[in-house]
Amino acid sequence: MSSKITAPRGTQDLIPPDSARWQELEARIHALAQRFGYGEIRTPLFEATELFVRGVGETTDIVEKEMYTFTDKGGRSMTLRPEWTAPVMRAMLEHSLLAQGPQRLYYIGPIFRYERPQQGRYRQSHQFGVECTGYEAPEADAEVMSVAWELVQSYGLRDAALKVNSIGDDVCRPRYREALLAHFRPNIALLSSDAQRRIERNPLRLLDSKEERDAPYVASAPRIEEFLCDACREHFAALRADLDLLGIAYTIDPRIVRGLDYYTRTVFEIQSSALGAQNAVCGGGRYDGLVRSLGGPDTPAVGFALGIERFLTMVETAGATPARKRDGVQAIALGAQARATLLPVAAEIRRLGVPAFMDYEERKLLAHLKIADRNGARFALIIGSEELTAGQAVLRDLTSRTDRRLALEEPRVLAAAVVEAQAV
Ligand code: ATP
Ligand code: MG
């Protein structure tokens, strides 16, 4: 006896009816991105490991411990995509898009991170994100935030909160870094082991520590606000003014720093109390230094990534899932001759753009109606021996439970009559 094979830890199968919720969300995302002028990009599931080491940063959780890295048969080190921004920038460089002026791209698809699976944290998860390149102006930052915010709003998710911060740039961040080091160093022995490990390489990351031991030292840490240079301060002020103009409610949160090394100035998150410990559904910001670190020209860029699984948890918690509407026609044939009559009618109904379902077993009418329910059919088109003799079919409205009779015409004509009847 061989043991059962299950899906790998931290991965999920997506099956009906849940897959319909995903499709609905994806359809909304495609329409939303289009309204903002973003075009879709799809990149390979795996890339050269070097891309992520350079493009995400060696001191990040992702590169330090979360990558699915393997050596292919040609001896090359490859990594399953743990995030999209580096691959998108790689592709933009490769196709010389950046030389053609500002660009707007979006993506939807899986990411892979070797994490400890728990609520809201998986080894394969999915992200929707956008990247807007070529604009230094804070209007671009406000634009990408409003893409994410519109999606949240379209589901009426009231417990979502937008938190923004500025983490400065190469001019002012080094001074802040020094101030943080001076603050944390005297207490280093009291900090969590993660914090101790990170402090020298990336002290900003201590600010988003979730360890209780670190909390008091994080709370009393100096704030970036006082360290921002004039240019960063102005950029942040202008961004806030733009968000006000757009009517987007936000709060400033000095603890939002984002885990990735390549951020400059703007950083933001959308958080929700519906998510528990993993409370961020969306993270983003500006990363003006990334393209250059990948060997490209200096390119201002801003974007976000939003977790689809966490977003759908929010939708579900808010009860914002649209009720499944009954739709389509269950073609119910009682007997072989009726089945031969209905088969082409069902085909014609589908050609007219209306769903049609059919069961191919010999069953009682009641059993067929149960199947119609399971399929969510709005109507049943029923033919038994009586109907065949009378030259009629019964069209039953499964919501109002009323019947009407349609003449048994050739498939096209009958299908058209069914479609017309169900349209009202
Ligand atoms: P976290 O704080 O949860 O570790 P992160 O900083 O690693 O988040 P990002 O890399 O910014 O997350 O990814 C953006 C979004 O993608 C997150 O806000 C979250 O919604 C989603 N996400 C990231 N990693 C996972 C995961 N392992 N499982 C499910 N969703 C994830
Ligand atoms: Mg993470």
Side-chain angles (χ1 to χ4, degrees), residues 112-192:
F112 304 86
R113 296 184 187 180
Y114 194 78
E115 308 213 57
R116 197 166 61 78
Q118 54 196 291
Q119 169 65 27
R121 208 183 275 299
Y122 311 102
R123 291 183 174 171
Q124 174 170 348
S125 67
H126 299 76
Q127 289 183 334
F128 156 51
V130 309
E131 315 288 359
C132 175
T133 64
Y135 294 111
E136 221 174 306
E139 284 79 3
D141 310 47
E143 175 182 299
V144 303
M145 288 183 204
S146 63
V147 175
W149 198 243
E150 288 286 322
L151 189 67
V152 166
Q153 296 290 103
S154 81
Y155 279 91
L157 304 174
R158 293 186 195 291
D159 64 344
L162 173 65
K163 310 250 170 116
V164 304
N165 190 23
S166 172
I167 55 168
D169 62 7
D170 286 348
V171 176
C172 51
R173 202 175 329 148
R175 273 206 317 132
Y176 182 53
R177 203 179 166 257
E178 286 310 314
L180 283 177
L181 279 173
H183 170 77
F184 285 116
R185 260 198 203 121
N187 303 307
I188 189 159
L190 302 167
L191 299 175
S192 68

Side-chain angles (χ1 to χ4, degrees), residues 401-413:
R401 310 217 164 261
T402 51
D403 285 355
R404 86 182 79 174
R405 292 181 175 271
L406 300 174
L408 252 191
E409 311 255 17
E410 61 160 300
R412 247 182 231 240
V413 179

Side-chain angles (χ1 to χ4, degrees), residues 77-326:
S77 180
M78 295 292 171
T79 295
L80 299 186
R81 174 177 62 215
E83 63 95 45
W84 281 80
T85 300
V88 169
M89 294 302 137
R90 193 268 308 138
M92 293 177 88
L93 279 171
E94 201 163 323
H95 301 284
S96 309
L97 295 183
L98 295 171
Q100 298 168 28
Q103 299 287 328
R104 289 178 169 86
L105 295 175
Y106 77 101
Y107 55 80
I108 313 185
I111 58 163
F112 304 86
R113 296 184 187 180
Y114 194 78
E115 308 213 57
R116 197 166 61 78
Q118 54 196 291
Q119 169 65 27
R121 208 183 275 299
Y122 311 102
R123 291 183 174 171
Q124 174 170 348
S125 67
H126 299 76
Q127 289 183 334
F128 156 51
V130 309
E131 315 288 359
C132 175
T133 64
Y135 294 111
E136 221 174 306
E139 284 79 3
D141 310 47
E143 175 182 299
V144 303
M145 288 183 204
S146 63
V147 175
W149 198 243
E150 288 286 322
L151 189 67
V152 166
Q153 296 290 103
S154 81
Y155 279 91
L157 304 174
R158 293 186 195 291
D159 64 344
L162 173 65
K163 310 250 170 116
V164 304
N165 190 23
S166 172
I167 55 168
D169 62 7
D170 286 348
V171 176
C172 51
R173 202 175 329 148
R175 273 206 317 132
Y176 182 53
R177 203 179 166 257
E178 286 310 314
L180 283 177
L181 279 173
H183 170 77
F184 285 116
R185 260 198 203 121
N187 303 307
I188 189 159
L190 302 167
L191 299 175
S192 68
S193 58
D194 266 359
Q196 293 185 17
R197 196 164 41 82
R198 282 170 187 160
I199 184 164
E200 294 300 328
R201 296 178 77 182
N202 195 347
L204 256 77
R205 293 221 23 228
L206 267 59
L207 297 178
D208 72 1
S209 163
K210 283 164 187 132
E211 304 281 338
E212 217 158 293
R213 308 181 53 161
D214 302 334
Y217 306 102
V218 170
S220 58
R223 300 192 160 209
I224 180 94
E225 244 178 298
E226 296 126 51
F227 292 83
L228 291 181
C229 60
D230 286 346
C232 286
R233 191 182 303 278
E234 277 164 32
H235 195 273
F236 193 34
L239 166 63
R240 278 155 20 217
D242 289 337
L243 290 173
D244 291 338
L245 283 173
L246 290 168
I248 296 175
Y250 63 91
T251 51
I252 297 173
D253 185 343
R255 290 191 48 190
I256 303 285
V257 289
R258 309 294 309 141
L260 310 181
D261 283 352
Y262 49 65
Y263 282 100
T264 49
R265 293 187 170 166
T266 311
V267 287
F268 68 96
E269 275 186 9
I270 297 175
Q271 302 176 350
S272 166
S273 54
L275 295 174
Q278 273 66 56
N279 69 344
V281 67
C282 175
R286 176 168 281 283
Y287 37 88
D288 294 348
L290 174 61
V291 175
R292 195 165 51 155
S293 77
L294 296 176
D298 266 324
T299 309
V302 53
F304 69 75
L306 176 144
I308 300 281
E309 286 84 357
R310 290 188 199 175
F311 189 82
L312 284 170
T313 301
M314 289 168 62
V315 170
E316 196 165 17
T317 309
T321 311
R324 191 171 167 217
K325 279 204 314 257
R326 283 185 165 276

